[in-house]
Amino acid sequence: MHGMYHQQIEEVADIEKTYQWLTKAGLKDSTEALIMAAQEQALSTRAIEARVYHTRPDPRCRLCGDVPDVQHITAGCKMLAGKAYMERHNQVAGIVYRNICTKYGWEVPGSRWETPPKVVENKQAKILWDFQIQTDKMVVANQPDRVVVDKHRKTVVVIDVAIPSDSNIRKKEHEKLEKYQGLKEEMERMWGIKATVVPVVIGTLGAVTPNLSRWFQQIPGTTSEISVQKTAVVGTAKILRRTLRLPGLW
């Protein structure tokens, strides 16, 4: 299936930046090889073992019963959604959070596994972590990953993270913007300040949209694309190793 990954992402991704983790992330050779193999569907999933190698009678996912390909394992298995995918999501969101803390002089969590408080505030700003925003008008989507209120600039930034299949990054980016449009409008009306919705979308295997740099410029602090991209692909490598029972550290 050589070249399939490139064909899937060429119309939705910034190709140069999508592959920058290979030269800038400093990953182990084994992790790089695993992600590259996953991109080309060259991993021995149960479906491949059953249909190509004929070494297994049942092609279905051992976790959920669906027929798995690599994309199913990295982003589509309902049994992995509650913990494995959420762990990867929170690691990416945590990088953004720690950089915002540095920007406003808040204490940075000592461990990347530490759950931040729901609300952190000082004279400059306030950050809400996975906090349900109360509005006068009912808004269905009112609990984004992060909300940053800059008191001096009178702005609010709504940040939401997603790590979908690589071919869906542009679609997911658009979904995030649409999802929080109602909340954005209510915040501006109630709080009297300018609000911006910022989607942080990284493909499970590293793909990024051409818009990512622009989104990061709107997030307080300095968050590099490579830092979130590296975290996403390392999280995916961990999921693949556990699910396919491959050797290697996770």
Side-chain angles (χ1 to χ4, degrees):
M1 300 185 185
H2 180 67
M4 176 183 289
Y5 178 74
H6 187 86
Q7 293 174 15
Q8 289 176 338
I9 68 169
E10 60 182 344
E11 293 186 1
V12 299
D14 182 320
I15 297 299
E16 181 179 350
K17 289 186 176 180
T18 288
Y19 290 106
Q20 68 182 344
W21 60 270
L22 281 169
T23 57
K24 297 181 179 180
L27 299 179
K28 293 181 178 180
D29 291 347
S30 59
T31 300
E32 290 183 0
L34 176 59
I35 296 299
M36 294 296 287
Q39 289 179 351
E40 299 303 332
Q41 301 282 320
L43 294 176
S44 186
T45 65
R46 291 170 71 95
I48 292 293
E49 290 174 356
R51 294 172 174 175
V52 178
Y53 302 143
H54 304 292
T55 57
R56 177 187 298 277
D58 187 357
R60 292 175 298 176
C61 175
R62 66 182 176 86
L63 298 176
C64 71
D66 289 342
V67 177
D69 56 10
V70 171
Q71 288 187 0
H72 171 83
I73 296 170
T74 60
C77 180
K78 60 189 177 185
M79 298 303 292
L80 293 172
K83 185 175 180 181
Y85 297 162
M86 184 56 66
E87 180 182 292
R88 178 180 59 190
H89 167 280
N90 288 344
Q91 290 298 301
V92 171
I95 289 177
V96 178
Y97 177 83
R98 287 192 289 275
N99 288 323
I100 295 171
C101 287
T102 300
K103 160 73 175 178
Y104 290 113
W106 292 313
E107 183 179 355
V108 177
S111 167
R112 62 193 181 100
W113 302 105
E114 181 180 336
T115 301
K118 285 283 189 179
V119 182
V120 178
E121 185 172 9
N122 60 17
K123 293 181 179 180
Q124 286 183 282
K126 175 167 63 176
I127 184 169
L128 309 176
W129 170 288
D130 195 26
F131 192 91
Q132 191 173 63
I133 308 298
Q134 299 298 318
T135 56
D136 294 337
K137 179 181 176 182
M138 191 184 82
V139 176
V140 175
N142 65 351
Q143 193 168 343
D145 290 324
R146 311 288 176 269
V147 173
V148 185
V149 181
D150 190 306
K151 299 177 183 180
H152 292 170
R153 298 178 62 189
K154 298 188 182 303
T155 59
V156 57
V157 181
V158 176
I159 305 167
D160 210 57
V161 174
I163 308 173
S165 295
D166 293 59
S167 59
N168 288 335
I169 53 174
R170 190 74 68 89
K171 177 182 177 182
K172 183 60 68 173
E173 194 174 71
H174 180 72
E175 286 178 359
K176 293 293 185 184
L177 292 171
E178 289 292 316
K179 179 178 181 179
Y180 291 106
Q181 183 62 30
L183 180 62
K184 171 184 178 294
E185 293 172 356
E186 275 295 286
M187 285 177 164
E188 290 181 332
R189 185 186 65 80
M190 293 169 53
W191 299 354
I193 58 180
K194 178 176 174 54
T196 304
V197 178
V198 177
V200 176
V201 179
I202 311 291
T204 60
L205 301 175
V208 299
T209 75
N211 300 320
L212 190 62
S213 296
R214 177 163 60 90
W215 297 132
F216 277 173
Q217 289 172 8
Q218 298 182 62
I219 298 175
T222 304
T223 299
S224 68
E225 295 174 26
I226 192 63
S227 65
V228 295
Q229 193 180 30
K230 175 182 178 179
T231 302
V233 298
V234 167
T236 296
K238 181 178 179 179
I239 290 168
L240 287 168
R241 285 181 173 130
R242 282 180 169 173
T243 306
L244 298 177
R245 296 172 177 169
L246 299 173
L249 297 176
W250 54 70

